Amino acid sequence: MLKRFLFNRIFFITFLTIICLSIAFYFILARNADSTISDQIIQKEQTLVRAEASNITSFFELFGHSVAIFSNLSSLDNLDASTSRDLDVFVQQWSESGLVSGIVFIDNKGIVKFNSNVLGTHDIGASIADRDYFLWSKSNPKAEEYFIGKPVISKLGPSKGEIIIPVASAVYRNGKFNGAVVASVKLNLLVKNYLQLVKISDKTKSYLLDETGQILFRDKVVDGYVDDHELVEELKGVLTSKVGGKIETKSYMIFYSPLILGNNRWLLALTVPNKEVDVFIVPIFTRIFITLIIVLISFVLYGYIINTEARKKYQSSLK
């Protein structure tokens, strides 16, 4: 009887020890998994936001040089049907990007004389003499230079009423200012195109802010977990930062990277709800828990079998 009691006690102590060890392992592994996975997601998002900011910069460098080269075409000397054809060709070449809405030629008074866009319309006559890129063109006679203007609301073409980023290059002939060519990039399509792939969920929200904290672009997300005013307050200290980083709040994380285009100093930001990061962690916890349960059951069964066999041998030895 005493031996049987000892066997049962050993089995119970072993069982209790295994349970305690399993619980301890679960919390240790879960905590490490939580930290590791969170760090990986954060590092990945930071890297991607910086990479997309660099990609946008590269796009404007390529596009700006293309506009500058166009400003030296001989068709801009004649200002006739050949000018319209070259403008149409330019639009066709960039139409595949889905970001360029059109290009215009403006004279030395700031009046649109030629216009080509993705819709094939050719409305002219609008005055854009008040734009910063026109003022820049009047005072920059250097060949193959371009200027990225501040985002403005378009006055004509398919982008009329929408915010565009103008890219201009002056047209000088024999030292005389004849006008400028100005191509436009749709701001909302630009940001969406480059940030779409870095979103970890539908609730990830992207922003573009200027150096004053004004929001130039924001995603429309149904779940409004971010207050715009609160976001600007969080980013105030990094609006002119030269490097990217992250800011953690109680309910979401902000990943940001500077975006410098000519005289424009902008900030690209991505917000992710903390609960969205947890979505990636919960399955790991579940797998760890299931694994430990299987191990626990295996040990219990193994212990039970050993205990049963030991008691049988003991009882046989008494006979």
Side-chain angles (χ1 to χ4, degrees):
M1 186 70 180
L2 179 62
K3 289 285 186 178
R4 183 176 180 181
F5 172 76
L6 288 174
F7 281 130
N8 289 336
R9 187 171 182 180
I10 292 171
F11 176 76
F12 176 76
I13 293 173
T14 304
F15 176 72
L16 187 62
T17 302
I18 292 173
I19 290 178
C20 292
L21 288 174
S22 297
I23 293 173
F25 277 125
Y26 175 76
F27 281 106
I28 292 171
L29 292 174
R31 185 176 63 181
N32 289 338
D34 187 357
S35 176
T36 302
I37 296 169
S38 295
D39 288 344
Q40 287 178 351
I41 293 173
I42 289 171
Q43 186 177 6
K44 177 184 176 182
E45 286 299 299
Q46 283 183 282
T47 302
L48 288 174
V49 171
R50 284 196 297 266
E52 293 308 321
S54 177
N55 288 338
I56 292 175
T57 301
S58 298
F59 168 79
F60 274 98
E61 287 178 355
L62 179 62
F63 187 61
H65 285 303
S66 181
V67 174
I69 292 172
F70 187 90
S71 69
N72 288 294
L73 294 182
S74 59
S75 61
L76 295 178
D77 299 336
N78 305 322
L79 298 180
D80 53 17
S82 64
T83 307
S84 293
R85 284 196 300 270
D86 285 344
L87 289 171
D88 290 341
V89 170
F90 181 90
V91 172
Q92 290 171 5
Q93 289 175 339
W94 284 95
S95 61
E96 291 184 3
S97 71
L99 305 176
V100 179
S101 60
I103 185 171
V104 299
F105 170 78
I106 54 178
D107 64 13
N108 55 11
K109 293 181 181 179
I111 306 299
V112 177
K113 293 297 184 180
F114 292 87
N115 178 11
S116 179
N117 54 61
V118 292
L119 293 182
T121 58
H122 300 280
D123 43 329
I124 59 175
S127 173
I128 48 180
D130 60 333
R131 303 299 202 195
D132 59 350
Y133 53 82
F134 179 71
L135 299 176
W136 174 88
S137 298
K138 289 175 66 175
S139 58
N140 283 272
K142 294 181 180 179
E144 297 189 6
E145 283 197 355
Y146 63 91
F147 177 83
I148 302 173
K150 292 186 178 300
V152 293
I153 297 176
S154 177
K155 290 184 178 181
L156 66 163
S159 59
K160 186 175 182 179
E162 299 181 26
I163 298 179
I164 59 169
I165 303 173
V167 180
S169 185
V171 178
Y172 278 83
R173 297 296 184 266
N174 299 319
K176 180 184 176 182
F177 175 59
N178 289 348
V181 287
V182 187
S184 58
V185 177
K186 288 187 176 182
L187 179 63
N188 62 335
L189 293 179
L190 175 76
V191 180
K192 286 180 180 179
N193 182 70
Y194 281 96
L195 288 185
Q196 192 64 37
L197 296 177
V198 304
K199 295 183 177 183
I200 65 173
S201 77
D202 292 337
K203 293 182 180 179
T204 303
K205 200 170 181 180
S206 52
Y207 288 85
L208 183 65
L209 299 87
D210 65 15
E211 63 269 21
T212 66
Q214 180 182 352
I215 297 176
L216 303 175
F217 170 85
R218 70 166 67 79
D219 266 334
K220 292 181 181 179
V221 177
V222 177
D223 185 4
Y225 63 91
V226 179
D227 177 76
D228 290 344
H229 177 72
E230 178 186 330
L231 177 79
V232 173
E233 288 297 316
E234 293 286 352
L235 291 172
K236 264 188 176 179
V238 297
L239 286 173
T240 58
S241 175
K242 294 182 179 180
V243 294
K246 68 178 176 67
I247 297 174
E248 295 186 36
T249 71
K250 291 182 179 180
S251 57
Y252 59 91
M253 286 184 284
I254 307 171
F255 303 96
Y256 64 88
S257 181
L259 179 58
I260 301 174
L261 299 174
N263 294 325
N264 298 303
R265 181 178 289 275
W266 299 333
L267 193 72
L268 203 60
L270 206 69
T271 61
V272 181
N274 290 335
K275 59 184 179 182
E276 291 300 303
V277 177
D278 295 338
V279 168
F280 292 89
I281 299 173
V282 171
I284 302 297
F285 287 173
T286 304
R287 287 197 290 270
I288 293 174
F289 179 75
I290 292 173
T291 301
L292 289 176
I293 289 296
I294 293 173
V295 172
L296 176 62
I297 292 174
S298 299
F299 271 114
V300 170
L301 290 175
Y302 182 68
Y304 176 78
I305 292 171
I306 292 177
N307 185 48
T308 302
E309 291 297 323
R311 279 190 297 177
K312 285 181 180 180
K313 288 182 179 180
Y314 173 69
Q315 290 173 357
S316 298
S317 64
L318 295 178
K319 293 179 180 181

